[in-house]
Amino acid sequence: MKNLILLTETRHSVPSVTTNNGDDTIVSIIHNPMADQEDEDFSDESSVVAFHYVLSASGNLSAISSSDRILWSVPLDYVVRNNSQVPFESRSRDWFHLFYEENEDRLIALSKSGAIVCLSTHGSDADLIGCFDYGIDSAAWSADGELLALVTFQPVPHDDSSENEDNTSIPVLMTMNTQFEILSEVNLPPHVTGEKVSLCWNQKTDHALVAISTCDSQDNVRKLRIFQGGSLEHVATSRTEDGSGKMIPNLLAHSDISWAGANTSHLLACVQRKGRAGRNVVFLEPNGLQHGGFKLEHRLDHEEIVGLDWNAESDLLAVTLVGDGGLQYGKIQFYHRSNYHWYLKYEICLKPGTKVSCVTFDRIKGYDVSICLEKSSEHGLAPQEWRHYRFCWDVSTTSQDGVAAVIDGNNVNFTLFQSAMIPPPMYASRLDMGCSVNAVTHIPHHLKIDGFIDALCQMSDGSIALCNVAGSSKKSNDGKGPSIVAKVDFSNTDDPSVEAVDSSCFRQFTVVDGKKDGDDFILQMLCVACPEALSPSQGPSRRYDELVEFTVKVTVGQDAIQSNVLQSNRIVLEGKVLRLVNWLNATDREDECLYKSSSDAIIELVDGSLFEYTKGVDAEGSVLPCEVEPMLLEPCPWITGFGSAEGQKLVIGLSSRFRLYLGERQLCNASSSFFLSPHHGFLGYVTLGSRCQLRFLPLKVLLDFDPLMGSDTDADTLSDGYEPRNVERGSVLVSILPEKPQVVLQLPRGNLEGVSPRALVLPHIMSLIHNDQYHLALDMMRRQKVDMNLIVDMDPVNCLKGGRLRKLVGQVKAIDHLNLFLASLQDYDVTQWKYQIPSWLFSPDQTETDSETRKSFDFSTKVNQVCTTIRHEMMQMQRDGSCSTDHFFLPILSTFAKQNPPQLQNALELIKEDAISTASKNPQSKLKSILLTDHVQSSITYLAFLADYELLFDTALGMYDFDLAKAVARNSQMDPKAYLPMLKRLRNLPPFEAKYEVDVKLKRYESALRHLYQMGVPEFDSGNLGAEFSETHFDKCKQFIQEHKLYQLGLELFIGYPAWHRQIILLLAENLLVEAKSDLSLAIFLSAKPPCFEGARRAARMCGDYKTFFSCFDSIDVQSDDFISLAHEVAHEVADGRGGVLSKRESYAAGAKILTDYCKDVEGAVDMLITAQMWFEARRLARLHADTDMEKHIIDSTLAYARTCLLDFESKADAFVEANKRYAEVVVIRRKARLEGFVAGEEEKEETGSLFSMASNASNTSVRSSMSTSSVGSVSSISSVITAGGASTFHLINNEASILHKSKFNNIGRKKKKKKTTRKERLGLKPGTEEELQSLVSKLKESVADQELSDIVSETIRFLSQVGETAVAIEVYKAYELFKALVDQNQCERVEKDVQTFKEEEEKARREGHFYEKVTLECEAEINSLRCTDLPKLIHDLFVYRIDY
């Protein structure tokens, strides 16, 4: 789809040298590779650096500066005569070859007379290397410049036949190195004298081949022979491709052969005559076999091919022709191959009297070509001229409307991407211009006048054609396709006030304005003109271009359309123009032109500076520096300008090094192509590299982004783009269609691919939803597999309450689309994680408002709310008569099935009501049941598709409508042998018994209990009016209640039967007791009338409520021995913590109280109090009963506990220090793990994770990305089937971790014995894991003295001081304080060290320029606050005084 664009043209001249045969001619030109033409220092007019070396046919070798001044000139004939040892006779104008040798930095020139001259690039040290006696006919250097192949002759031996002796000669092919030492030579068959010999090398440096074209005198047939480059070993001879071994016939000698590079499969090009006047370019493979070719269809009969040349990229073939139309003229055609078709992309046609002497492609810049001209002069000598052209490929010449134009010689192929995606070389329509087309320019949409003229074609003869591409011109061809509206010839003007101009130097036409004046159309055009070359006597070469303004009038007459140039003007620019383009508007559409820039065009010079062309009112235009971006960072052959509705502008450029720029900011360092779409608001481009992506940058972000003030979000968007998409390597972006979110890519093979990337689809859908175009949005979401929840989630409140669902129902005509929308509904917000709404899509106020609305909405009930609302709207439309009464029947069923829980009963009732309504309208139906109609059956089938059929059958059965259940079962997979007998049996049962059976089957036990109750009550059971509720029936109900734990419902039903009501209460209490809810069971036992004390005692004993337990006994029972024994048991149970209500010390105190009050066991009570360290209470009981021995036992126990405390404090201190030290190390490890992204429990998965490669991770990513990136399908990754009540039946065969991913038939590793772990491995923890951290936290908490221990120690110290053991009390006090101080010191040191570590790490990160993130674990605050509880102030005050003595 690409076209060749002429970027720059420069015309140079050098003075002619008079020879005996007339004017001199340039035969070879070489660009100095050491001089940079784009560098200002080198391009200065005063520079003495040679830019070009020019060799004339007369032997004048000159060095030319950038301003076309001759720096030095050397007459090579003079050098030969002075250095030759033998007489040398030079033929006139026989110098033909010039070569620059980089290794020696010298120039080498060859002449037909056989001389080889070498001289330095400064014009000195000219030396004659040698002379060939029989001359040099042809010469060529290898691709690496190491070998020179040349052809000379030797005389025919005297013993040969004398018949053709004068007409034959023996050519000799030889190769030489750079030291001009002959490496090898070979004699060729005798050659016809006077026939041209052509020689060329292939482009490979590792396998050099040389080809020679000669005409054998034996059969007078021209042949091509291929030899090895070094040894000249014969490889192949030109033969046809049919395998017959015949020589290729009719090869012509007028043009040289030329060998292409790798881009054209190393094909050797030559010319073949086809018929009498036809000419073909045929190609040969390195093995000599013919490999296709093409016919020169755009050649006149009197034009002959004289040259073939490949560019360095081998994708352009320059065909040089000479025509004889009175005066000879030259022509150069540039051909390009794509998809096995050869296109004529550009043609340079010279004036009569001017021919082409040589064509030279730049060896580094593949699309720079120099053309030397040979002019004939009737008035003395004419300056010799050469022209330098710089071309580039435009990826596509596509308008904003999606119309692509491809140039192919005289034809322009058009493809309308909006209608069809036709890959080249095919096309939708073709327009024959009658002359070779060089460029096509699409007129901006807002400048099109009634769609009459929408394209401009520049011809090789200098004229332009105004075209109607869309075929809407009724004056042209009745709208049947593209047509030529008018042609404009600048050399002939009807208005005498307008001077005729030479349009051969025009390029890059642009239409900047247009209007309609009655029946006339006025177009304002711009183009770039290259000034004519000046003779050296007139001054230096012109290094600037001119901007030419034209005003063209197109007059539409009755019979014909005429065009005329009304006005022309030239503006001299500051330099050479690289590109001239239009501004693109914010909405480049005729009906929505929101902004039209006052600057009508952008001009970029070769140095990257930008200018704006501004058209004044009724005045000539002006060129001023661009206000937006005065200069790009480097010259960009591809640029685009954009202006927003607010007046903001930006300039996008792609350099020849494939760097994409936004003004002075680089957007991408490797991009193959870009396209700016004002309609979608995106800049799209394709990246280069190992991972090619199609990326999209929002124009709003580009316009508003400030690199100094930009946000991280905008920076990320500019870096990777919005929703990038991977594409095939080598893809280029051809077009972004305006009317639909589709991108056209051309793949490396040449075929076209239309894709709908998420970056275009999602904003397009969001805009449609925002504008209430739900039918278009829903259809797009269905096609592009976008989650339809987006319709609701963008603005859920307005969608439900603002009437948007009614608009949705009214716009969507396809019922299936509505069902699909309902099926995709889910209770979550897709804008939070799947399709986030970009901040640049809508206005900031609108975005903020929608965000607040979504935050206030309860998405957990979204599905139910949407189903309820949309069902109401559909029913309302059916009632209003907006549609038929059953139009939304299936969507309404979908709303019932989609709700949570599914309202299948309502759906079945709706089906039955519809069946009854239909039957009432057709009472003569012969069907046995109204549920057997096709409509009802199809409705049930649809509902069975939405819901699980078993659930649907159970729902119908639960409605106790057995006919409906039968109808549902017919459309399910149920066995008739199973459901028909069941339904028959249920029909024959009494009503309540049948309902009871149905409820039990459906496990609706509450309803079953009600119906079971109603079976025995006369007022419900009409068949048993005389019976009363029997004890037997109650036992059946009680058994059902107890079996299914329906105690609450049973109490409600039997509240009128006190005795049975009490039985149910006791059953409830017993059940609670079994369920370990003893406290609640106790309350229910006592609430019965009368209370059940036996059950209450069991419940109270279980829950540890000893007070209630003993209150449930009579005073008589308290005096028995059994009671005392029971009290002993209860006391010990309470002391052991039964019930968990009391603390440990409180439990012992309660047990002691029971022993004292009910068992009179003082000794046992004192022992319990000693166990609880309640010394004072124990001493009180001992003195109350005057038991001195018991009191002494208490004191001894206290002393023993004190000694235990001393040892315990020491061990706790050591354990705390050790654990605290390890805790500090583990915390650092866990912080690093948290910083690197590990979470708790992830270390255990690390080994498993290492088993998976990056490929599996990529596949996982692709699975996830397929939820939102697939471009084909329906709805989303969520199942489109509602499946109400369905459950997944998938399960793993084996869940063992080691064989989780193995087949059940793979026994490898299953029967292998596992290594027995050691005791250390079983008990130990992995160092640094989360488990070790939790273990250390628990150990630290256990090692400090809490409030309970502090209270016990305090009571012990006080008791010891009161019983005369003050020394022991002081010792305990000091040990506790020492333990407390040690813990405080150790904690403070660790915390201070931790704070210092944080500070040092932060300073180090700042010094190194890294971002420092402080990580804190959840347990740190709690552990850092761990301290021993302080003793009461009374204890400290006690030991202030010296009470120990």
Side-chain angles (χ1 to χ4, degrees):
M1 304 301 291
K2 59 185 181 181
N3 292 319
L4 195 63
I5 304 300
L6 177 59
L7 295 178
T8 61
E9 177 186 359
T10 307
R11 301 187 177 186
H12 305 269
S13 65
V14 292
S16 296
V17 179
T18 305
T19 63
N20 295 331
N21 295 330
D23 296 339
D24 204 353
T25 304
I26 300 176
V27 294
S28 183
I29 182 170
I30 294 178
H31 302 287
N32 184 3
M34 307 303 295
D36 187 1
Q37 300 183 18
E38 297 180 358
D39 193 340
E40 296 181 356
D41 297 334
F42 284 103
S43 61
D44 187 17
E45 294 183 2
S46 61
S47 175
V48 294
V49 177
F51 268 64
H52 311 280
Y53 301 104
V54 178
L55 175 65
S56 66
S58 62
N60 287 322
L61 178 59
S62 304
I64 311 298
S65 69
S66 61
S67 58
D68 292 348
R69 292 187 300 110
I70 298 179
L71 300 179
W72 52 262
S73 181
V74 177
L76 298 182
D77 283 347
Y78 178 78
V79 173
V80 172
R81 292 191 186 97
N82 289 343
N83 290 276
S84 177
Q85 301 296 329
V86 296
F88 176 78
E89 296 182 1
S90 174
R91 297 192 295 267
S92 175
R93 302 177 64 180
D94 66 347
W95 292 88
F96 71 99
H97 185 78
L98 182 65
F99 179 74
Y100 172 75
E101 186 187 354
E102 296 183 4
N103 295 333
E104 300 291 338
D105 191 25
R106 60 181 179 176
L107 300 172
I108 302 173
L110 286 76
S111 72
K112 295 284 185 179
S113 301
I116 302 177
V117 177
C118 177
L119 72 162
S120 68
T121 55
H122 301 290
S124 60
D125 301 331
D127 187 20
L128 175 64
I129 301 299
C131 293
F132 287 90
D133 295 339
Y134 295 97
I136 301 175
D137 190 272
S138 180
W141 287 84
S142 61
D144 56 3
E146 297 293 332
L147 297 177
L148 169 64
L150 53 85
V151 178
T152 185
F153 295 95
Q154 67 180 17
V156 179
H158 297 290
D159 56 352
D160 289 351
S161 62
S162 59
E163 182 178 356
N164 296 326
E165 183 176 352
D166 297 334
N167 297 327
T168 61
S169 58
I170 299 177
V172 179
L173 174 64
M174 64 176 60
T175 56
M176 309 174 71
N177 58 18
T178 55
Q179 304 302 321
F180 299 100
E181 299 171 345
I182 297 177
L183 302 179
S184 58
E185 63 179 270
V186 61
N187 293 339
L188 301 178
H191 173 72
V192 177
T193 304
E195 288 289 332
K196 185 176 181 180
V197 177
S198 182
L199 187 67
C200 71
W201 291 79
N202 67 345
Q203 299 300 316
K204 287 186 175 182
T205 58
D206 57 344
H207 184 64
L209 297 176
V210 61
I212 183 171
S213 173
T214 59
C215 184
D216 293 353
S217 60
Q218 296 177 356
D219 50 10
N220 203 24
V221 175
R222 179 166 288 273
K223 300 182 181 67
L224 270 72
R225 295 179 175 87
I226 301 175
F227 298 88
Q228 290 284 353
S231 62
L232 292 183
E233 179 183 355
H234 184 260
V235 175
T237 305
S238 57
R239 300 185 185 277
T240 57
E241 59 187 340
D242 56 3
S244 62
K246 296 181 180 179
M247 298 295 175
I248 301 177
N250 302 327
L251 294 180
L252 299 181
H254 301 94
S255 65
D256 294 330
I257 58 176
S258 183
W259 215 321
N263 285 348
T264 316
S265 304
H266 299 284
L267 296 179
L268 178 62
C270 57
V271 180
Q272 179 188 40
R273 177 175 57 84
K274 193 68 173 178
R276 178 173 297 180
R279 298 292 183 270
N280 287 358
V281 175
V282 295
F283 300 105
L284 277 69
E285 297 178 0
N287 58 9
L289 294 179
Q290 183 179 349
H291 186 88
F294 66 94
K295 182 180 180 181
L296 294 176
E297 297 180 351
H298 309 288
R299 166 191 159 274
L300 302 179
D301 291 341
H302 61 268
E303 295 176 349
E304 191 57 64
I305 303 174
V306 295
L308 296 175
D309 295 276
W310 292 96
N311 69 333
E313 305 293 338
S314 295
D315 59 351
L316 273 184
L317 176 62
V319 179
T320 306
L321 303 99
V322 173
D324 190 1
L327 286 177
Q328 289 187 341
Y329 64 90
K331 182 186 291 186
I332 302 175
Q333 295 178 340
F334 295 93
Y335 287 87
H336 170 71
R337 186 182 70 170
S338 178
N339 281 39
Y340 304 98
H341 177 76
W342 285 89
Y343 295 87
L344 173 56
K345 288 297 184 182
Y346 204 92
E347 182 181 89
I348 299 175
C349 188
L350 303 177
K351 297 178 182 179
T354 303
K355 297 186 298 181
V356 179
S357 61
C358 72
V359 176
T360 304
F361 280 103
D362 193 289
R363 292 188 297 172
I364 299 175
K365 300 176 181 178
Y367 301 105
D368 286 19
V369 59
S370 296
I371 300 173
C372 300
L373 307 182
E374 180 182 352
K375 294 185 177 181
S376 61
S377 176
E378 299 177 357
H379 305 285
L381 300 178
Q384 298 305 313
E385 179 182 348
W386 88 89
R387 298 176 183 177
H388 183 79
Y389 295 90
R390 180 181 178 186
F391 293 95
C392 77
W393 287 113
D394 258 4
V395 173
S396 68
T397 306
T398 308
S399 69
Q400 290 294 323
D401 297 333
V403 179
V406 180
I407 297 174
D408 186 9
N410 297 355
N411 306 312
V412 180
N413 303 332
F414 292 101
T415 301
L416 280 71
F417 292 134
Q418 298 276 26
S419 303
M421 203 76 61
I422 303 175
M426 296 182 290
Y427 46 85
S429 56
R430 166 174 282 190
L431 187 58
D432 188 356
M433 297 295 180
C435 180
S436 294
V437 181
N438 285 347
V440 177
T441 302
H442 290 282
I443 299 177
H445 204 303
H446 66 278
L447 296 179
K448 297 178 183 178
I449 306 171
D450 298 334
F452 185 57
I453 301 173
D454 47 16
L456 181 150
C457 297
Q458 181 186 1
M459 309 298 177
S460 60
D461 60 1
S463 63
I464 62 173
L466 304 178
C467 304
N468 176 258
V469 176
S472 59
S473 173
K474 296 183 179 180
K475 296 289 184 180
S476 56
N477 60 349
D478 298 330
K480 295 181 180 179
S483 61
I484 301 175
V485 177
K487 285 191 175 182
V488 181
D489 189 356
F490 298 100
S491 61
N492 297 319
T493 58
D494 296 337
D495 191 348
S497 62
V498 179
E499 180 182 358
V501 295
D502 179 15
S503 58
S504 63
C505 61
F506 291 168
R507 69 181 189 273
Q508 299 188 27
F509 278 84
T510 302
V511 178
V512 295
D513 197 6
K515 63 180 179 179
K516 186 175 182 181
D517 184 11
D519 293 336
D520 299 335
F521 297 92
I522 308 297
L523 296 177
Q524 180 71 31
M525 302 181 187
L526 291 179
C527 70
V528 181
C530 172
E532 292 289 340
L534 299 177
S535 64
S537 60
Q538 293 177 320
S541 175
R542 297 173 179 176
R543 300 186 58 83
Y544 62 84
D545 279 335
E546 296 176 340
L547 186 67
V548 184
E549 301 175 288
F550 290 105
T551 302
V552 177
K553 181 177 72 173
V554 180
T555 303
V556 181
Q558 295 293 333
D559 300 328
I561 301 176
Q562 299 179 351
S563 62
N564 191 24
V565 179
L566 299 181
Q567 183 181 2
S568 65
N569 179 45
R570 291 178 179 250
I571 302 175
V572 178
L573 302 175
E574 297 181 0
K576 303 294 292 183
V577 175
L578 185 64
R579 208 62 193 261
L580 172 65
V581 296
N582 289 98
W583 284 94
L584 293 180
N585 297 330
T587 304
D588 195 8
R589 299 172 60 187
E590 186 177 3
D591 55 342
E592 299 181 10
C593 187
L594 302 180
Y595 169 71
K596 183 176 180 181
S597 174
S598 58
S599 302
D600 298 315
I602 309 172
I603 304 170
E604 182 190 8
L605 303 185
V606 292
D607 60 354
S609 57
L610 297 176
F611 292 84
E612 297 182 32
Y613 169 82
T614 305
K615 180 69 172 65
V617 180
D618 297 331
E620 297 178 353
S622 60
V623 177
L624 299 173
C626 184
E627 298 178 356
V628 183
E629 297 291 345
M631 193 168 187
L632 297 172
L633 291 182
E634 62 178 307
C636 296
W638 303 275
I639 63 171
T640 297
F642 173 74
S644 69
E646 293 78 16
Q648 297 173 293
K649 305 175 188 176
L650 55 84
V651 178
I652 308 295
L654 180 64
S655 70
S656 57
R657 294 182 175 90
F658 303 106
R659 299 189 183 106
L660 185 64
Y661 292 99
L662 167 61
E664 296 182 351
R665 176 182 175 83
Q666 180 176 297
L667 298 178
C668 180
N669 59 1
S671 174
S672 64
S673 54
F674 73 94
F675 193 91
L676 194 146
S677 175
H679 185 90
H680 293 285
F682 277 108
L683 168 66
Y685 66 93
V686 176
T687 63
L688 296 172
S690 59
R691 185 184 180 187
C692 297
Q693 287 187 327
L694 174 61
R695 298 178 179 176
F696 295 90
L697 303 181
L699 294 180
K700 188 174 181 181
V701 175
L702 294 177
L703 290 168
D704 298 339
F705 181 74
D706 186 351
L708 300 179
M709 301 295 292
S711 64
D712 294 338
T713 303
D714 292 343
D716 294 340
T717 304
L718 292 179
S719 175
D720 297 331
Y722 173 69
E723 294 285 343
R725 176 193 178 103
N726 294 337
V727 295
E728 185 177 344
R729 184 184 299 181
S731 301
V732 293
L733 179 57
V734 175
S735 177
I736 300 178
L737 304 186
E739 299 299 332
K740 51 185 176 181
Q742 191 172 18
V743 169
V744 181
L745 297 172
Q746 187 167 21
L747 304 186
R749 297 174 298 279
N751 56 307
L752 298 179
E753 182 177 350
V755 298
S756 298
R758 277 291 189 265
L760 296 182
V761 170
L762 293 180
H764 183 74
I765 291 175
M766 292 176 183
S767 299
L768 292 176
I769 296 173
H770 182 72
N771 297 328
D772 295 342
Q773 296 179 347
Y774 298 107
H775 60 297
L776 299 178
L778 196 64
D779 184 67
M780 180 68 67
M781 297 168 85
R782 183 182 63 87
R783 294 174 182 271
Q784 300 301 328
K785 204 175 181 181
V786 177
D787 195 337
M788 295 185 180
N789 283 275
L790 186 63
I791 294 179
V792 180
D793 297 345
M794 279 189 63
D795 192 357
V797 175
N798 289 335
C799 185
L800 294 173
K801 300 180 181 180
R804 293 190 173 182
L805 286 180
R806 184 176 182 85
K807 295 180 181 178
L808 171 66
V809 173
Q811 292 179 9
V812 179
K813 304 301 181 184
I815 297 301
D816 292 342
H817 295 180
L818 277 178
N819 292 331
L820 200 59
F821 164 71
L822 293 171
S824 65
L825 292 175
Q826 298 293 333
D827 283 328
Y828 52 73
D829 184 6
V830 297
T831 63
Q832 294 296 318
W833 59 280
K834 197 173 185 180
Y835 307 132
Q836 295 184 3
I837 301 177
S839 58
W840 39 262
L841 185 58
F842 304 115
S843 63
D845 295 339
Q846 180 68 33
T847 303
E848 184 177 359
T849 301
D850 293 344
S851 178
E852 294 297 330
T853 302
R854 286 191 295 273
K855 289 180 181 180
S856 62
F857 184 76
D858 183 13
F859 281 92
S860 62
T861 62
K862 181 186 76 174
V863 174
N864 289 345
Q865 294 186 54
V866 172
C867 288
T868 303
T869 305
I870 199 171
R871 182 168 60 244
H872 172 75
E873 297 293 346
M874 289 187 290
M875 291 182 173
Q876 184 65 34
M877 292 182 67
Q878 290 183 160
R879 288 192 294 267
D880 295 342
S882 303
C883 56
S884 60
T885 55
D886 58 348
H887 181 71
F888 296 111
F889 185 73
L890 294 182
I892 292 175
L893 292 181
S894 299
T895 60
F896 284 124
K898 186 63 181 177
Q899 284 190 249
N900 187 22
Q903 304 295 320
L904 297 181
Q905 182 173 344
N906 294 337
L908 291 174
E909 290 175 353
L910 180 64
I911 293 175
K912 187 172 183 179
E913 291 176 2
D914 183 71
I916 295 174
S917 176
T918 304
S920 62
K921 298 177 181 178
N922 187 17
Q924 299 180 355
S925 176
K926 298 181 180 180
L927 295 176
K928 296 181 180 180
S929 174
I930 60 174
L931 299 177
L932 298 179
T933 61
D934 293 339
H935 178 66
V936 174
Q937 291 298 309
S938 62
S939 301
I940 294 176
T941 302
Y942 175 76
L943 194 60
F945 171 74
L946 298 178
D948 186 77
Y949 69 90
E950 292 183 358
L951 179 62
L952 188 62
F953 175 77
D954 291 344
T955 303
L957 192 63
M959 297 170 61
Y960 315 114
D961 191 335
F962 304 126
D963 292 335
L964 183 60
K966 181 179 178 181
V968 171
R970 290 183 60 185
N971 292 277
S972 65
Q973 301 176 7
M974 297 182 66
D975 187 3
K977 296 180 181 179
Y979 69 83
L980 289 178
M982 179 186 65
L983 295 177
K984 182 178 180 181
R985 186 179 65 85
L986 291 175
R987 285 194 185 96
N988 298 329
L989 291 176
F992 290 113
E993 185 176 358
K995 292 179 180 180
Y996 168 75
E997 294 287 342
V998 169
D999 292 335
V1000 172
K1001 174 179 173 56
L1002 300 181
K1003 298 181 181 180
R1004 302 190 309 194
Y1005 299 118
E1006 290 189 1
S1007 179
L1009 179 59
R1010 293 182 185 274
H1011 291 135
L1012 181 62
Y1013 170 79
Q1014 292 172 352
M1015 287 168 55
V1017 180
E1019 58 179 302
F1020 295 105
D1021 194 348
S1022 58
N1024 194 13
L1025 294 178
E1028 295 183 355
F1029 207 98
S1030 63
E1031 184 73 27
T1032 304
H1033 193 70
F1034 170 73
D1035 291 340
K1036 186 176 180 181
C1037 292
K1038 183 173 68 172
Q1039 182 181 359
F1040 192 83
I1041 291 172
Q1042 189 173 6
E1043 181 180 355
H1044 299 288
K1045 299 181 180 181
L1046 302 175
Y1047 303 104
Q1048 182 177 356
L1049 180 59
L1051 291 174
E1052 294 176 1
L1053 295 176
F1054 291 95
I1055 194 171
Y1057 303 89
W1060 293 341
H1061 187 270
R1062 185 176 183 278
Q1063 292 185 35
I1064 297 175
I1065 289 179
L1066 296 182
L1067 288 176
L1068 173 60
E1070 292 291 346
N1071 180 71
L1072 293 174
L1073 199 59
V1074 172
E1075 294 177 355
K1077 299 179 181 179
S1078 53
D1079 49 354
L1080 182 58
S1081 176
L1082 174 61
I1084 293 178
F1085 271 125
L1086 295 177
S1087 65
K1089 297 178 182 179
C1092 180
F1093 290 107
E1094 189 275 333
R1097 286 195 294 267
R1098 287 187 287 111
R1101 186 175 180 180
M1102 182 175 291
C1103 67
D1105 189 357
Y1106 69 94
K1107 297 178 180 179
T1108 305
F1109 175 79
F1110 288 105
S1111 66
C1112 293
F1113 287 92
D1114 296 336
S1115 58
I1116 300 176
D1117 298 334
V1118 176
Q1119 304 300 326
S1120 63
D1121 294 337
D1122 294 337
F1123 176 78
I1124 294 174
S1125 177
L1126 180 62
H1128 268 284
E1129 295 178 3
V1130 172
H1132 286 87
E1133 290 176 356
V1134 172
D1136 291 340
R1138 174 69 68 88
V1141 179
L1142 304 176
S1143 64
K1144 184 176 181 180
R1145 298 186 73 194
E1146 291 174 347
S1147 299
Y1148 279 112
K1153 186 173 181 59
I1154 295 172
L1155 292 177
T1156 305
D1157 293 346
Y1158 296 100
C1159 301
K1160 307 303 181 182
D1161 186 1
V1162 179
E1163 184 177 355
V1166 170
D1167 288 340
M1168 282 191 179
L1169 292 174
I1170 290 174
T1171 305
Q1173 291 90 31
M1174 303 180 71
W1175 320 114
F1176 290 101
E1177 180 64 18
R1179 187 181 63 176
R1180 184 189 68 82
L1181 288 178
R1183 289 191 177 183
L1184 178 64
H1185 295 84
D1187 192 340
T1188 57
D1189 294 337
M1190 189 176 299
E1191 184 175 357
K1192 185 177 182 303
H1193 174 64
I1194 295 171
I1195 296 173
D1196 293 341
S1197 299
T1198 307
L1199 290 173
Y1201 178 76
R1203 296 186 187 95
T1204 304
C1205 285
L1206 296 177
L1207 297 176
D1208 192 33
F1209 292 157
E1210 184 178 354
S1211 63
K1212 281 181 176 290
D1214 294 340
F1216 184 85
V1217 172
E1218 181 183 359
N1220 206 18
K1221 180 181 179 181
R1222 180 56 185 167
Y1223 169 79
E1225 298 172 355
V1226 175
V1227 163
V1228 174
I1229 297 175
R1230 297 312 306 162
R1231 286 174 183 165
K1232 291 182 180 179
R1234 182 71 58 85
L1235 187 63
E1236 294 173 358
F1238 290 95
V1239 295
E1242 191 166 343
E1243 294 81 3
E1244 289 73 8
K1245 302 178 184 178
E1246 187 173 356
E1247 292 186 2
T1248 303
S1250 65
L1251 297 176
F1252 299 98
S1253 63
M1254 289 186 65
S1256 63
N1257 294 335
S1259 65
N1260 295 336
T1261 305
S1262 65
V1263 171
R1264 292 193 299 271
S1265 63
S1266 66
M1267 297 171 60
S1268 60
T1269 59
S1270 178
S1271 300
V1272 184
S1274 60
V1275 197
S1276 65
S1277 61
I1278 300 170
S1279 176
S1280 60
V1281 181
I1282 298 177
T1283 61
S1288 174
T1289 59
F1290 174 78
H1291 63 278
L1292 292 174
I1293 296 176
N1294 198 319
N1295 292 329
E1296 187 177 347
S1298 62
I1299 56 176
L1300 186 62
H1301 301 283
K1302 292 183 180 180
S1303 168
K1304 66 179 181 179
F1305 303 105
N1306 185 1
N1307 293 323
I1308 299 177
R1310 296 178 183 268
K1311 298 180 180 180
K1312 184 178 179 180
K1313 290 185 178 180
K1314 296 183 178 180
K1315 181 181 177 182
K1316 186 176 181 180
T1317 58
T1318 63
R1319 182 176 182 274
K1320 183 178 180 180
E1321 292 174 342
R1322 290 196 302 269
L1323 300 179
L1325 296 173
K1326 291 184 179 180
T1329 60
E1330 187 72 21
E1331 286 75 9
E1332 185 185 11
L1333 178 64
Q1334 298 301 326
S1335 175
L1336 291 171
V1337 169
S1338 301
K1339 190 173 182 180
L1340 288 173
K1341 291 180 180 179
E1342 294 172 357
S1343 300
V1344 297
D1346 56 2
Q1347 185 65 46
E1348 183 179 1
L1349 180 59
S1350 175
D1351 293 342
I1352 295 175
V1353 171
S1354 175
E1355 184 172 349
T1356 303
I1357 293 173
R1358 287 170 50 213
F1359 183 79
L1360 290 174
S1361 63
Q1362 292 180 13
V1363 297
E1365 299 292 340
T1366 307
V1368 179
I1370 293 175
E1371 189 177 359
V1372 173
Y1373 171 74
K1374 290 181 178 180
Y1376 184 85
E1377 288 297 316
L1378 181 62
F1379 168 53
K1380 177 176 177 297
L1382 181 62
V1383 171
D1384 291 347
Q1385 180 183 358
N1386 193 263
Q1387 282 284 78
C1388 292
E1389 290 176 356
R1390 182 186 58 78
V1391 172
E1392 291 176 0
K1393 184 178 179 180
D1394 202 21
V1395 172
Q1396 183 65 26
T1397 302
F1398 272 126
K1399 185 177 180 181
E1400 293 175 357
E1401 290 178 353
E1402 183 177 4
E1403 292 177 355
K1404 180 181 178 181
R1406 291 180 182 273
R1407 286 195 306 268
E1408 297 176 355
H1410 299 161
F1411 174 75
Y1412 177 73
E1413 181 180 359
K1414 183 178 180 181
V1415 178
T1416 304
L1417 303 180
E1418 293 80 2
C1419 61
E1420 289 192 56
E1422 181 182 7
I1423 298 302
N1424 291 343
S1425 62
L1426 279 181
R1427 297 293 187 275
C1428 291
T1429 305
D1430 196 9
L1431 295 174
K1433 185 175 182 297
L1434 173 63
I1435 304 300
H1436 296 291
D1437 295 343
L1438 177 64
F1439 294 107
V1440 171
Y1441 305 99
R1442 295 295 303 273
I1443 61 175
D1444 54 328
Y1445 56 93

